[in-house]
Amino acid sequence: MPIPASFVIDTPADAQRAAELRRVKLLATLVLAATFAIFIATRALLPIHPAFGFVAAFAEAATIGGLADWYAVVALFRRPLGLPIPHTAIIQSNQHRIADKLGEFIEVHFLEAAPVEAKLRQIDFGAFIADWLRDRKRSEDLARFALRLLPEAVAATENSGLMTFVSRRITAQLMSIDLAPLAAGTLRAFVKEGRHQGLLDDLLRGVHQTMTQAETMAMIREKIRAELPTLLKLYRADKFLVNKIVASASAFFEEVRNDPKHPFRDEFDRMVLTFVDRLGTDPAYAERIQGLKRDLLARPELTSLARHIWENARSFFERSASGETQVLEQYLVRMFVTAGEALAADAEMRAEINQGLVAVLRSVVAEQKSGVSTFISDQVKSWDMGQLIALIEINIGRDLQYIRFNGSLIGGLAGLVLYTLEYLLRLV
């Protein structure tokens, strides 16, 4: 496998470094050749004057030092002169071991919990999210991206059977709810807040309006007329009785509505609370409510309504994704921008987001660091080492070539010192 494209040597800077490497290599080779030539020349001139011995000793040691360091530099990357010398081409020969150690080093020293958490805590994720969402252009892009995914998500939901599963789960959850205590608690709170008295007022008002209608009064008069003796009918007693009944009822309704402390209201309170108590404790009421719930959930109209709502929602999502309607997109944009502004103004919320993301990312890194180490190791093992070595040489080879210069200089000085000591010892 070749190394990643980002490692390929094809930039002007790479070309410049390669040219500089070739120049330094040539210069180091010329220095080696010069020291060898000086050594040969001074050895030949040694009989003429003893001073040439010092120069020859320096040149000889410099040549040896330069050759040794040339060998060391070359052996690091490849086999010198192509010979199968042991312990050469060190990087190529140890590719797998280097890969494993590199992965292990990153896992141990870079992905440990403490440094990872310290680095993550330096990042203000909340502020970044707030600034990102407050940018209307970014929120518009995010809204369009979400809308493009929405039809596919809806289709996947339908095709995967998720809708059926969710529908069954919702039905099962609704069936498991005991509505009697819930209804009793809701009604008890309704009564405690006094809202049932408003309902009583509306009921009395409705009954009064119904009774005073001409059709209702005619119906009541007809009923009374059918029960009266014939003699009373002749005196139109039915009309008198209807008017008295309606007037008395209207006066009673008006009296109750205008008096918050009317005894009838207390009686209504007791009646409602008695019903609430029986609703919460009487098994018969509970069974009736459960039966109503089962009948309601079993109605085909409910399934048809749910399907109709879903189809309309799907059609709306598709039209929003195609740009036919901008309603949902504009709503999402406003929601994102508002959320960003609210987050920017809420330091406590940003701190909670930062803390939560640090905890999540720290956990993810801790769980996946072994996998990251293995991934890095496998990638390095699969690289083309020839390309990688060329890359390394271009980037650090120039500095390595200066080792050859240093080897020649230090070797020459060491040879000069040893020759001088030897010369002095001969004089003693």
Side-chain angles (χ1 to χ4, degrees), residues 191 196-197 262-278:
V191 172
H196 66 301
Q197 293 293 341
H262 195 280
F264 182 76
R265 291 186 181 274
D266 295 334
E267 188 63 30
F268 183 68
D269 286 347
R270 286 192 293 272
M271 180 184 67
V272 173
L273 289 174
T274 299
F275 172 75
V276 170
D277 291 338
R278 291 188 63 186

mmCIF file with all atom_site columns, all heavy atoms in Angstrom, residues 191 196-197 262-278:
data_model
loop_
_atom_site.group_PDB
_atom_site.id
_atom_site.type_symbol
_atom_site.label_atom_id
_atom_site.label_alt_id
_atom_site.label_comp_id
_atom_site.label_asym_id
_atom_site.label_entity_id
_atom_site.label_seq_id
_atom_site.pdbx_PDB_ins_code
_atom_site.Cartn_x
_atom_site.Cartn_y
_atom_site.Cartn_z
_atom_site.occupancy
_atom_site.B_iso_or_equiv
_atom_site.pdbx_formal_charge
_atom_site.auth_seq_id
_atom_site.auth_comp_id
_atom_site.auth_asym_id
_atom_site.auth_atom_id
_atom_site.pdbx_PDB_model_num
ATOM 1   N N   . VAL A 1 191 ? -60.950 20.539 40.789 1.00 0.00 ? 191 VAL A N   1
ATOM 2   C CA  . VAL A 1 191 ? -61.854 21.016 41.838 1.00 0.00 ? 191 VAL A CA  1
ATOM 3   C C   . VAL A 1 191 ? -61.111 21.904 42.831 1.00 0.00 ? 191 VAL A C   1
ATOM 4   O O   . VAL A 1 191 ? -61.629 22.935 43.293 1.00 0.00 ? 191 VAL A O   1
ATOM 5   C CB  . VAL A 1 191 ? -62.501 19.817 42.559 1.00 0.00 ? 191 VAL A CB  1
ATOM 6   C CG1 . VAL A 1 191 ? -63.299 20.276 43.777 1.00 0.00 ? 191 VAL A CG1 1
ATOM 7   C CG2 . VAL A 1 191 ? -63.395 19.047 41.600 1.00 0.00 ? 191 VAL A CG2 1
ATOM 8   N N   . HIS A 1 196 ? -64.174 24.002 38.610 1.00 0.00 ? 196 HIS A N   1
ATOM 9   C CA  . HIS A 1 196 ? -65.450 23.335 38.385 1.00 0.00 ? 196 HIS A CA  1
ATOM 10  C C   . HIS A 1 196 ? -66.623 24.294 38.601 1.00 0.00 ? 196 HIS A C   1
ATOM 11  O O   . HIS A 1 196 ? -67.709 24.103 38.052 1.00 0.00 ? 196 HIS A O   1
ATOM 12  C CB  . HIS A 1 196 ? -65.585 22.131 39.321 1.00 0.00 ? 196 HIS A CB  1
ATOM 13  C CG  . HIS A 1 196 ? -65.680 22.496 40.767 1.00 0.00 ? 196 HIS A CG  1
ATOM 14  N ND1 . HIS A 1 196 ? -64.710 23.204 41.434 1.00 0.00 ? 196 HIS A ND1 1
ATOM 15  C CD2 . HIS A 1 196 ? -66.679 22.267 41.683 1.00 0.00 ? 196 HIS A CD2 1
ATOM 16  C CE1 . HIS A 1 196 ? -65.075 23.392 42.691 1.00 0.00 ? 196 HIS A CE1 1
ATOM 17  N NE2 . HIS A 1 196 ? -66.271 22.827 42.872 1.00 0.00 ? 196 HIS A NE2 1
ATOM 18  N N   . GLN A 1 197 ? -66.412 25.341 39.413 1.00 0.00 ? 197 GLN A N   1
ATOM 19  C CA  . GLN A 1 197 ? -67.469 26.321 39.615 1.00 0.00 ? 197 GLN A CA  1
ATOM 20  C C   . GLN A 1 197 ? -67.726 27.118 38.340 1.00 0.00 ? 197 GLN A C   1
ATOM 21  O O   . GLN A 1 197 ? -68.875 27.464 38.027 1.00 0.00 ? 197 GLN A O   1
ATOM 22  C CB  . GLN A 1 197 ? -67.090 27.264 40.764 1.00 0.00 ? 197 GLN A CB  1
ATOM 23  C CG  . GLN A 1 197 ? -67.028 26.608 42.131 1.00 0.00 ? 197 GLN A CG  1
ATOM 24  C CD  . GLN A 1 197 ? -68.400 26.156 42.610 1.00 0.00 ? 197 GLN A CD  1
ATOM 25  O OE1 . GLN A 1 197 ? -69.433 26.623 42.104 1.00 0.00 ? 197 GLN A OE1 1
ATOM 26  N NE2 . GLN A 1 197 ? -68.431 25.239 43.576 1.00 0.00 ? 197 GLN A NE2 1
ATOM 27  N N   . HIS A 1 262 ? -73.444 30.409 47.478 1.00 0.00 ? 262 HIS A N   1
ATOM 28  C CA  . HIS A 1 262 ? -74.779 29.810 47.483 1.00 0.00 ? 262 HIS A CA  1
ATOM 29  C C   . HIS A 1 262 ? -74.678 28.348 47.934 1.00 0.00 ? 262 HIS A C   1
ATOM 30  O O   . HIS A 1 262 ? -73.737 27.633 47.575 1.00 0.00 ? 262 HIS A O   1
ATOM 31  C CB  . HIS A 1 262 ? -75.385 29.876 46.075 1.00 0.00 ? 262 HIS A CB  1
ATOM 32  C CG  . HIS A 1 262 ? -76.847 29.615 46.025 1.00 0.00 ? 262 HIS A CG  1
ATOM 33  N ND1 . HIS A 1 262 ? -77.390 28.345 46.052 1.00 0.00 ? 262 HIS A ND1 1
ATOM 34  C CD2 . HIS A 1 262 ? -77.911 30.488 45.979 1.00 0.00 ? 262 HIS A CD2 1
ATOM 35  C CE1 . HIS A 1 262 ? -78.702 28.424 45.989 1.00 0.00 ? 262 HIS A CE1 1
ATOM 36  N NE2 . HIS A 1 262 ? -79.053 29.717 45.950 1.00 0.00 ? 262 HIS A NE2 1
ATOM 37  N N   . PRO A 1 263 ? -75.645 27.872 48.756 1.00 0.00 ? 263 PRO A N   1
ATOM 38  C CA  . PRO A 1 263 ? -75.606 26.484 49.243 1.00 0.00 ? 263 PRO A CA  1
ATOM 39  C C   . PRO A 1 263 ? -75.554 25.446 48.129 1.00 0.00 ? 263 PRO A C   1
ATOM 40  O O   . PRO A 1 263 ? -74.981 24.367 48.307 1.00 0.00 ? 263 PRO A O   1
ATOM 41  C CB  . PRO A 1 263 ? -76.893 26.360 50.060 1.00 0.00 ? 263 PRO A CB  1
ATOM 42  C CG  . PRO A 1 263 ? -77.205 27.756 50.474 1.00 0.00 ? 263 PRO A CG  1
ATOM 43  C CD  . PRO A 1 263 ? -76.752 28.643 49.362 1.00 0.00 ? 263 PRO A CD  1
ATOM 44  N N   . PHE A 1 264 ? -76.144 25.780 47.003 1.00 0.00 ? 264 PHE A N   1
ATOM 45  C CA  . PHE A 1 264 ? -76.131 24.823 45.901 1.00 0.00 ? 264 PHE A CA  1
ATOM 46  C C   . PHE A 1 264 ? -74.702 24.553 45.430 1.00 0.00 ? 264 PHE A C   1
ATOM 47  O O   . PHE A 1 264 ? -74.386 23.450 44.993 1.00 0.00 ? 264 PHE A O   1
ATOM 48  C CB  . PHE A 1 264 ? -76.985 25.338 44.737 1.00 0.00 ? 264 PHE A CB  1
ATOM 49  C CG  . PHE A 1 264 ? -77.064 24.380 43.593 1.00 0.00 ? 264 PHE A CG  1
ATOM 50  C CD1 . PHE A 1 264 ? -77.867 23.251 43.639 1.00 0.00 ? 264 PHE A CD1 1
ATOM 51  C CD2 . PHE A 1 264 ? -76.309 24.592 42.435 1.00 0.00 ? 264 PHE A CD2 1
ATOM 52  C CE1 . PHE A 1 264 ? -77.931 22.366 42.587 1.00 0.00 ? 264 PHE A CE1 1
ATOM 53  C CE2 . PHE A 1 264 ? -76.366 23.708 41.375 1.00 0.00 ? 264 PHE A CE2 1
ATOM 54  C CZ  . PHE A 1 264 ? -77.182 22.580 41.445 1.00 0.00 ? 264 PHE A CZ  1
ATOM 55  N N   . ARG A 1 265 ? -73.859 25.560 45.526 1.00 0.00 ? 265 ARG A N   1
ATOM 56  C CA  . ARG A 1 265 ? -72.462 25.382 45.108 1.00 0.00 ? 265 ARG A CA  1
ATOM 57  C C   . ARG A 1 265 ? -71.769 24.388 46.036 1.00 0.00 ? 265 ARG A C   1
ATOM 58  O O   . ARG A 1 265 ? -70.957 23.566 45.587 1.00 0.00 ? 265 ARG A O   1
ATOM 59  C CB  . ARG A 1 265 ? -71.718 26.723 45.112 1.00 0.00 ? 265 ARG A CB  1
ATOM 60  C CG  . ARG A 1 265 ? -72.206 27.668 44.017 1.00 0.00 ? 265 ARG A CG  1
ATOM 61  C CD  . ARG A 1 265 ? -71.352 28.928 43.944 1.00 0.00 ? 265 ARG A CD  1
ATOM 62  N NE  . ARG A 1 265 ? -71.821 29.834 42.920 1.00 0.00 ? 265 ARG A NE  1
ATOM 63  C CZ  . ARG A 1 265 ? -71.476 29.774 41.634 1.00 0.00 ? 265 ARG A CZ  1
ATOM 64  N NH1 . ARG A 1 265 ? -70.634 28.822 41.225 1.00 0.00 ? 265 ARG A NH1 1
ATOM 65  N NH2 . ARG A 1 265 ? -71.952 30.640 40.772 1.00 0.00 ? 265 ARG A NH2 1
ATOM 66  N N   . ASP A 1 266 ? -72.032 24.478 47.347 1.00 0.00 ? 266 ASP A N   1
ATOM 67  C CA  . ASP A 1 266 ? -71.458 23.510 48.277 1.00 0.00 ? 266 ASP A CA  1
ATOM 68  C C   . ASP A 1 266 ? -71.944 22.099 47.963 1.00 0.00 ? 266 ASP A C   1
ATOM 69  O O   . ASP A 1 266 ? -71.177 21.130 48.022 1.00 0.00 ? 266 ASP A O   1
ATOM 70  C CB  . ASP A 1 266 ? -71.829 23.878 49.710 1.00 0.00 ? 266 ASP A CB  1
ATOM 71  C CG  . ASP A 1 266 ? -71.208 25.197 50.139 1.00 0.00 ? 266 ASP A CG  1
ATOM 72  O OD1 . ASP A 1 266 ? -70.157 25.553 49.559 1.00 0.00 ? 266 ASP A OD1 1
ATOM 73  O OD2 . ASP A 1 266 ? -71.761 25.861 51.028 1.00 0.00 ? 266 ASP A OD2 1
ATOM 74  N N   . GLU A 1 267 ? -73.223 21.999 47.627 1.00 0.00 ? 267 GLU A N   1
ATOM 75  C CA  . GLU A 1 267 ? -73.768 20.691 47.274 1.00 0.00 ? 267 GLU A CA  1
ATOM 76  C C   . GLU A 1 267 ? -73.114 20.158 45.985 1.00 0.00 ? 267 GLU A C   1
ATOM 77  O O   . GLU A 1 267 ? -72.818 18.968 45.880 1.00 0.00 ? 267 GLU A O   1
ATOM 78  C CB  . GLU A 1 267 ? -75.289 20.800 47.082 1.00 0.00 ? 267 GLU A CB  1
ATOM 79  C CG  . GLU A 1 267 ? -75.989 19.480 46.897 1.00 0.00 ? 267 GLU A CG  1
ATOM 80  C CD  . GLU A 1 267 ? -75.857 18.575 48.118 1.00 0.00 ? 267 GLU A CD  1
ATOM 81  O OE1 . GLU A 1 267 ? -75.750 19.102 49.250 1.00 0.00 ? 267 GLU A OE1 1
ATOM 82  O OE2 . GLU A 1 267 ? -75.832 17.337 47.937 1.00 0.00 ? 267 GLU A OE2 1
ATOM 83  N N   . PHE A 1 268 ? -72.869 21.077 45.075 1.00 0.00 ? 268 PHE A N   1
ATOM 84  C CA  . PHE A 1 268 ? -72.200 20.681 43.824 1.00 0.00 ? 268 PHE A CA  1
ATOM 85  C C   . PHE A 1 268 ? -70.773 20.220 44.112 1.00 0.00 ? 268 PHE A C   1
ATOM 86  O O   . PHE A 1 268 ? -70.289 19.244 43.524 1.00 0.00 ? 268 PHE A O   1
ATOM 87  C CB  . PHE A 1 268 ? -72.202 21.861 42.844 1.00 0.00 ? 268 PHE A CB  1
ATOM 88  C CG  . PHE A 1 268 ? -71.600 21.540 41.501 1.00 0.00 ? 268 PHE A CG  1
ATOM 89  C CD1 . PHE A 1 268 ? -72.218 20.671 40.619 1.00 0.00 ? 268 PHE A CD1 1
ATOM 90  C CD2 . PHE A 1 268 ? -70.384 22.119 41.114 1.00 0.00 ? 268 PHE A CD2 1
ATOM 91  C CE1 . PHE A 1 268 ? -71.670 20.388 39.390 1.00 0.00 ? 268 PHE A CE1 1
ATOM 92  C CE2 . PHE A 1 268 ? -69.830 21.837 39.883 1.00 0.00 ? 268 PHE A CE2 1
ATOM 93  C CZ  . PHE A 1 268 ? -70.472 20.964 39.013 1.00 0.00 ? 268 PHE A CZ  1
ATOM 94  N N   . ASP A 1 269 ? -70.080 20.904 45.053 1.00 0.00 ? 269 ASP A N   1
ATOM 95  C CA  . ASP A 1 269 ? -68.736 20.481 45.456 1.00 0.00 ? 269 ASP A CA  1
ATOM 96  C C   . ASP A 1 269 ? -68.750 19.061 46.000 1.00 0.00 ? 269 ASP A C   1
ATOM 97  O O   . ASP A 1 269 ? -67.922 18.221 45.629 1.00 0.00 ? 269 ASP A O   1
ATOM 98  C CB  . ASP A 1 269 ? -68.183 21.428 46.533 1.00 0.00 ? 269 ASP A CB  1
ATOM 99  C CG  . ASP A 1 269 ? -67.768 22.770 45.940 1.00 0.00 ? 269 ASP A CG  1
ATOM 100 O OD1 . ASP A 1 269 ? -67.688 22.850 44.697 1.00 0.00 ? 269 ASP A OD1 1
ATOM 101 O OD2 . ASP A 1 269 ? -67.530 23.706 46.712 1.00 0.00 ? 269 ASP A OD2 1
ATOM 102 N N   . ARG A 1 270 ? -69.699 18.802 46.919 1.00 0.00 ? 270 ARG A N   1
ATOM 103 C CA  . ARG A 1 270 ? -69.773 17.459 47.507 1.00 0.00 ? 270 ARG A CA  1
ATOM 104 C C   . ARG A 1 270 ? -70.082 16.400 46.454 1.00 0.00 ? 270 ARG A C   1
ATOM 105 O O   . ARG A 1 270 ? -69.511 15.310 46.477 1.00 0.00 ? 270 ARG A O   1
ATOM 106 C CB  . ARG A 1 270 ? -70.829 17.451 48.611 1.00 0.00 ? 270 ARG A CB  1
ATOM 107 C CG  . ARG A 1 270 ? -70.402 18.149 49.885 1.00 0.00 ? 270 ARG A CG  1
ATOM 108 C CD  . ARG A 1 270 ? -71.363 17.863 51.012 1.00 0.00 ? 270 ARG A CD  1
ATOM 109 N NE  . ARG A 1 270 ? -72.676 18.459 50.758 1.00 0.00 ? 270 ARG A NE  1
ATOM 110 C CZ  . ARG A 1 270 ? -73.020 19.693 51.104 1.00 0.00 ? 270 ARG A CZ  1
ATOM 111 N NH1 . ARG A 1 270 ? -72.124 20.476 51.720 1.00 0.00 ? 270 ARG A NH1 1
ATOM 112 N NH2 . ARG A 1 270 ? -74.219 20.152 50.853 1.00 0.00 ? 270 ARG A NH2 1
ATOM 113 N N   . MET A 1 271 ? -70.943 16.732 45.528 1.00 0.00 ? 271 MET A N   1
ATOM 114 C CA  . MET A 1 271 ? -71.309 15.785 44.480 1.00 0.00 ? 271 MET A CA  1
ATOM 115 C C   . MET A 1 271 ? -70.099 15.454 43.604 1.00 0.00 ? 271 MET A C   1
ATOM 116 O O   . MET A 1 271 ? -69.815 14.283 43.300 1.00 0.00 ? 271 MET A O   1
ATOM 117 C CB  . MET A 1 271 ? -72.425 16.365 43.625 1.00 0.00 ? 271 MET A CB  1
ATOM 118 C CG  . MET A 1 271 ? -72.891 15.441 42.500 1.00 0.00 ? 271 MET A CG  1
ATOM 119 S SD  . MET A 1 271 ? -74.146 16.237 41.462 1.00 0.00 ? 271 MET A SD  1
ATOM 120 C CE  . MET A 1 271 ? -73.171 17.526 40.686 1.00 0.00 ? 271 MET A CE  1
ATOM 121 N N   . VAL A 1 272 ? -69.354 16.499 43.216 1.00 0.00 ? 272 VAL A N   1
ATOM 122 C CA  . VAL A 1 272 ? -68.187 16.287 42.345 1.00 0.00 ? 272 VAL A CA  1
ATOM 123 C C   . VAL A 1 272 ? -67.111 15.507 43.080 1.00 0.00 ? 272 VAL A C   1
ATOM 124 O O   . VAL A 1 272 ? -66.518 14.568 42.537 1.00 0.00 ? 272 VAL A O   1
ATOM 125 C CB  . VAL A 1 272 ? -67.642 17.638 41.837 1.00 0.00 ? 272 VAL A CB  1
ATOM 126 C CG1 . VAL A 1 272 ? -66.332 17.436 41.086 1.00 0.00 ? 272 VAL A CG1 1
ATOM 127 C CG2 . VAL A 1 272 ? -68.664 18.313 40.932 1.00 0.00 ? 272 VAL A CG2 1
ATOM 128 N N   . LEU A 1 273 ? -66.825 15.882 44.342 1.00 0.00 ? 273 LEU A N   1
ATOM 129 C CA  . LEU A 1 273 ? -65.783 15.195 45.097 1.00 0.00 ? 273 LEU A CA  1
ATOM 130 C C   . LEU A 1 273 ? -66.166 13.736 45.370 1.00 0.00 ? 273 LEU A C   1
ATOM 131 O O   . LEU A 1 273 ? -65.302 12.845 45.390 1.00 0.00 ? 273 LEU A O   1
ATOM 132 C CB  . LEU A 1 273 ? -65.518 15.924 46.412 1.00 0.00 ? 273 LEU A CB  1
ATOM 133 C CG  . LEU A 1 273 ? -64.809 17.276 46.270 1.00 0.00 ? 273 LEU A CG  1
ATOM 134 C CD1 . LEU A 1 273 ? -64.733 17.989 47.622 1.00 0.00 ? 273 LEU A CD1 1
ATOM 135 C CD2 . LEU A 1 273 ? -63.403 17.091 45.693 1.00 0.00 ? 273 LEU A CD2 1
ATOM 136 N N   . THR A 1 274 ? -67.427 13.490 45.607 1.00 0.00 ? 274 THR A N   1
ATOM 137 C CA  . THR A 1 274 ? -67.875 12.105 45.789 1.00 0.00 ? 274 THR A CA  1
ATOM 138 C C   . THR A 1 274 ? -67.628 11.298 44.528 1.00 0.00 ? 274 THR A C   1
ATOM 139 O O   . THR A 1 274 ? -67.151 10.147 44.581 1.00 0.00 ? 274 THR A O   1
ATOM 140 C CB  . THR A 1 274 ? -69.371 12.077 46.145 1.00 0.00 ? 274 THR A CB  1
ATOM 141 O OG1 . THR A 1 274 ? -69.582 12.789 47.365 1.00 0.00 ? 274 THR A OG1 1
ATOM 142 C CG2 . THR A 1 274 ? -69.865 10.638 46.318 1.00 0.00 ? 274 THR A CG2 1
ATOM 143 N N   . PHE A 1 275 ? -67.940 11.914 43.390 1.00 0.00 ? 275 PHE A N   1
ATOM 144 C CA  . PHE A 1 275 ? -67.684 11.230 42.118 1.00 0.00 ? 275 PHE A CA  1
ATOM 145 C C   . PHE A 1 275 ? -66.185 10.975 41.910 1.00 0.00 ? 275 PHE A C   1
ATOM 146 O O   . PHE A 1 275 ? -65.780 9.899  41.465 1.00 0.00 ? 275 PHE A O   1
ATOM 147 C CB  . PHE A 1 275 ? -68.242 12.070 40.962 1.00 0.00 ? 275 PHE A CB  1
ATOM 148 C CG  . PHE A 1 275 ? -67.864 11.550 39.614 1.00 0.00 ? 275 PHE A CG  1
ATOM 149 C CD1 . PHE A 1 275 ? -68.468 10.413 39.084 1.00 0.00 ? 275 PHE A CD1 1
ATOM 150 C CD2 . PHE A 1 275 ? -66.875 12.188 38.859 1.00 0.00 ? 275 PHE A CD2 1
ATOM 151 C CE1 . PHE A 1 275 ? -68.112 9.933  37.829 1.00 0.00 ? 275 PHE A CE1 1
ATOM 152 C CE2 . PHE A 1 275 ? -66.513 11.709 37.616 1.00 0.00 ? 275 PHE A CE2 1
ATOM 153 C CZ  . PHE A 1 275 ? -67.141 10.577 37.099 1.00 0.00 ? 275 PHE A CZ  1
ATOM 154 N N   . VAL A 1 276 ? -65.349 11.965 42.271 1.00 0.00 ? 276 VAL A N   1
ATOM 155 C CA  . VAL A 1 276 ? -63.894 11.818 42.120 1.00 0.00 ? 276 VAL A CA  1
ATOM 156 C C   . VAL A 1 276 ? -63.383 10.688 42.999 1.00 0.00 ? 276 VAL A C   1
ATOM 157 O O   . VAL A 1 276 ? -62.557 9.868  42.575 1.00 0.00 ? 276 VAL A O   1
ATOM 158 C CB  . VAL A 1 276 ? -63.182 13.141 42.456 1.00 0.00 ? 276 VAL A CB  1
ATOM 159 C CG1 . VAL A 1 276 ? -61.664 12.927 42.530 1.00 0.00 ? 276 VAL A CG1 1
ATOM 160 C CG2 . VAL A 1 276 ? -63.497 14.195 41.407 1.00 0.00 ? 276 VAL A CG2 1
ATOM 161 N N   . ASP A 1 277 ? -63.882 10.625 44.253 1.00 0.00 ? 277 ASP A N   1
ATOM 162 C CA  . ASP A 1 277 ? -63.445 9.556  45.157 1.00 0.00 ? 277 ASP A CA  1
ATOM 163 C C   . ASP A 1 277 ? -63.843 8.184  44.631 1.00 0.00 ? 277 ASP A C   1
ATOM 164 O O   . ASP A 1 277 ? -63.054 7.235  44.674 1.00 0.00 ? 277 ASP A O   1
ATOM 165 C CB  . ASP A 1 277 ? -64.043 9.785  46.545 1.00 0.00 ? 277 ASP A CB  1
ATOM 166 C CG  . ASP A 1 277 ? -63.447 11.001 47.230 1.00 0.00 ? 277 ASP A CG  1
ATOM 167 O OD1 . ASP A 1 277 ? -62.327 11.400 46.841 1.00 0.00 ? 277 ASP A OD1 1
ATOM 168 O OD2 . ASP A 1 277 ? -64.098 11.558 48.134 1.00 0.00 ? 277 ASP A OD2 1
ATOM 169 N N   . ARG A 1 278 ? -65.051 8.076  44.137 1.00 0.00 ? 278 ARG A N   1
ATOM 170 C CA  . ARG A 1 278 ? -65.496 6.785  43.605 1.00 0.00 ? 278 ARG A CA  1
ATOM 171 C C   . ARG A 1 278 ? -64.715 6.426  42.341 1.00 0.00 ? 278 ARG A C   1
ATOM 172 O O   . ARG A 1 278 ? -64.385 5.270  42.110 1.00 0.00 ? 278 ARG A O   1
ATOM 173 C CB  . ARG A 1 278 ? -66.994 6.848  43.283 1.00 0.00 ? 278 ARG A CB  1
ATOM 174 C CG  . ARG A 1 278 ? -67.891 6.944  44.510 1.00 0.00 ? 278 ARG A CG  1
ATOM 175 C CD  . ARG A 1 278 ? -69.336 6.799  44.126 1.00 0.00 ? 278 ARG A CD  1
ATOM 176 N NE  . ARG A 1 278 ? -69.592 5.482  43.540 1.00 0.00 ? 278 ARG A NE  1
ATOM 177 C CZ  . ARG A 1 278 ? -70.765 5.119  42.998 1.00 0.00 ? 278 ARG A CZ  1
ATOM 178 N NH1 . ARG A 1 278 ? -71.766 6.001  42.962 1.00 0.00 ? 278 ARG A NH1 1
ATOM 179 N NH2 . ARG A 1 278 ? -70.920 3.916  42.500 1.00 0.00 ? 278 ARG A NH2 1
#
